[in-house]
Amino acid sequence: MGGVCHCFFFLDACGAEVVRPFPAFTDLAPDWKPLRSVFGYSSACVPSILSGSYPEDHLHWSFFQRAGGEVAPLRVPWWVRALPAPLRDRGRVRSHLSRSVARANGITGYFQLYLMPLEHLGRYGHCEPRDIFSAGGLNRGTSFVDALAQSGVPSWVADWHRSEADNWAGMERAAGDPGSRVLFMYAASLDGWLHDHTRTHPGIEGELAGYRRRIEGVLDAARAAHDEVRFYVFSDHGMCTVTSHVDVMPALAATGLRMHVDYQCVVDSTMVRLWAEEPHRARLRDALSSVPAITLLDPAWLARERCAFPDDRFGQDIWLADPGVLLLPSHMGNARLAGMHGYDPAHPDTNAVLLTNDDEAMRDVVDIVGVGKLVRRAIASHAAGLNGRA
Ligand SMILES: [Zn+2]
């Protein structure tokens, strides 16, 4: 039997309001609570958890940003540009093209073109140039993956390139090794399921039961091989049911300005992000102020959310949709999704969750960044043990 083992289970989009109606899931742990998320999508939240820091520190936020300065413009291979538009804009073709564009730019992180315009892609950069789950993967600062690599603490970390079933099997094997000290699962499939069905779909109970079984399989293996197992089930954000759609494109078109030429703009699923010189900027503001259910974010609000970026690389003017409003169409797609996230972090549906048997974590951790700090603290405690023995 060997020592303490820390098991972290990161279930993407498993929000507090997703699990609240299901004690058959939440009684997995002695205690649970909602955690405040970070403003933005998973591209902002996951690095916040990996690093234990906020977007303004690690510089990961929305995928597409304005090129220039530190942000390299995306290059599009000539043969991709030469493809006829009706062909290259088809969904499956686009996901092949995404791989080619990622390769042409040396991007090893998660990359999708979505519906970004290929002919104007050179005016934009991507916020995930490297695999954020690898050492040295963050734009600024370090993650717990770096800390693990330096510490020599015996560990297992999920690989998002592999199937989720493979990862669960791998975690259970690692948990059964008495030498294992830190195990970290990252499971993304619930996020996709909730986008398609949302949290009020009757199937959610079965989905959560499936996760509980897998988690308990790992915990049983860990307990059989260790003196003590501390576990943490958590997420990066929740899921809000989509109740209406808003199309911002007609208002933008009515300005007579050419998007990506006269001004730059990325329409995400819940945000419109703009870069423009005056007088275009004022004209765009006027146009969008007539669109219902979107609000221009105050820079002071963004600063409080720790999402203020001095070079405005993620947008000079950022408009946010009300919770439940899906911007459609957007540069992210045309799908009429049942659930979405990326709304005001103060809305209950945005909340992430923590389920744990660690009283101290239950008391101290209030947001998802706190979970990242917890992982680093666990690694540091095991590293100190290794040094103590040396
Ligand atoms: Zn999602």
Side-chain angles (χ1 to χ4, degrees), residues 226-238:
H226 297 84
D227 299 321
E228 189 190 344
V229 176
R230 288 185 208 155
F231 71 90
Y232 312 84
V233 180
F234 60 95
S235 63
D236 47 349
H237 52 72

Side-chain angles (χ1 to χ4, degrees), residues 7-29:
C7 298
F8 296 94
F9 301 91
F10 180 169
L11 310 181
D12 200 302
C14 187
E17 300 312 309
V18 173
V19 302
R20 188 183 297 281
F22 303 107
F25 180 77
T26 53
D27 66 14
L28 163 68

Side-chain angles (χ1 to χ4, degrees), residues 251-252 255 274 279-291 296 317 319:
L252 293 171
T255 61
L274 296 142
H280 296 353
R281 189 173 177 181
R283 206 194 300 181
L284 291 159
R285 275 191 183 190
D286 274 355
L288 287 176
S289 53
S290 67
V291 175
L296 179 61
D317 280 357
W319 296 73

Side-chain angles (χ1 to χ4, degrees), residues 178-201:
S180 289
R181 288 292 170 263
V182 176
L183 311 175
F184 190 97
M185 165 58 75
Y186 173 61
S189 67
L190 186 63
D191 180 69
W193 191 94
L194 284 165
H195 279 300
D196 290 343
H197 302 92
T198 197
R199 65 179 177 81
T200 51
H201 187 284

Side-chain angles (χ1 to χ4, degrees), residues 258-290:
R258 293 163 300 172
M259 190 187 285
H260 312 300
V261 179
D262 299 322
Y263 68 100
Q264 284 182 258
C265 174
V266 179
V267 181
D268 296 320
S269 303
T270 66
M271 286 183 228
V272 186
R273 300 183 286 118
L274 296 142
W275 301 262
E277 301 298 328
E278 297 296 0
H280 296 353
R281 189 173 177 181
R283 206 194 300 181
L284 291 159
R285 275 191 183 190
D286 274 355
L288 287 176
S289 53
S290 67

Side-chain angles (χ1 to χ4, degrees), residues 36 45 68 75 83 94 102 107-108 123 128 192 209-210 227 232 252 265 273 290 307 362 376 381:
R36 199 172 202 276
C45 296
R75 286 183 298 115
L83 292 172
R94 247 181 127 83
I107 294 173
T108 52
R123 301 194 69 187
E128 210 166 292
D227 299 321
Y232 312 84
L252 293 171
C265 174
R273 300 183 286 118
S290 67
C307 295
M362 192 62 204
R376 299 187 82 137
S381 71

